[in-house]
Amino acid sequence: QVTLVESGGGSVKSGGSLRLTCQVHGYIYRRYCLAWFRQAPGKEREAIAAMDSDGKTTYADSLKGRFTIYRNDAAYTTDLQMDNLTPEDTATYYCACGEGWCPRSITPVPAYYDFVHWGQGTQVTVSS
């Protein structure tokens, strides 16, 4: 059984930074994709970034440049560095895992790809 646990959320002022971490527990696939998503109240879930074990990344165009995904397979973690945050970034942030290579685009996530495992989410609140 695979479980994902996010940490690092909190409150920050506009222009600030936060770094989220997701720890993967349990059996994992030989090759797997790690990704970050977010969901704001009243809005649909939004993909942020995904990363393969070989270092290839894919980002949502609207967030690339302010958000950076990292991955450490030895520690079974993925981090999301978030810079120059604005109140519009307020949301619950989730990490997710799927088998195989990441899809080349995550906006939207292709119908053929299934992020099977999800964390419980961590809240990020950005005040002006």
Side-chain angles (χ1 to χ4, degrees):
Q1 183 177 352
V2 177
T3 57
L4 283 67
V5 180
E6 302 96 338
S7 61
S11 297
V12 64
K13 287 191 178 295
S14 187
S17 297
L18 277 177
R19 189 176 181 107
L20 307 181
T21 296
C22 174
Q23 180 74 57
V24 180
H25 298 276
Y27 171 77
I28 198 66
Y29 313 106
R30 184 171 182 273
R31 178 173 292 118
Y32 56 100
C33 174
L34 290 171
W36 287 91
F37 292 77
R38 69 182 184 183
Q39 188 165 20
K43 293 189 176 181
E44 292 190 357
R45 187 173 62 199
E46 176 184 23
I48 301 170
M51 190 168 188
D52 284 312
S53 57
D54 65 355
K56 288 191 181 66
T57 58
T58 181
Y59 288 90
D61 287 342
S62 61
L63 299 173
K64 191 173 184 178
R66 294 194 301 121
F67 288 40
T68 307
I69 188 171
Y70 297 92
R71 174 171 173 159
N72 183 339
D73 282 356
Y76 296 97
T77 61
T78 176
D79 286 6
L80 184 69
Q81 176 67 38
M82 306 185 294
D83 298 315
N84 195 21
L85 289 164
T86 73
E88 288 67 39
D89 295 316
T90 295
T92 301
Y93 285 70
Y94 300 89
C95 67
C97 174
E99 187 175 7
W101 297 110
C102 294
R104 287 304 92 201
S105 174
I106 54 173
T107 52
V109 175
Y112 71 84
Y113 195 85
D114 188 9
F115 283 102
V116 179
H117 305 289
W118 292 82
Q120 82 289 349
T122 186
Q123 178 66 36
V124 171
T125 302
V126 185
S127 59
S128 57

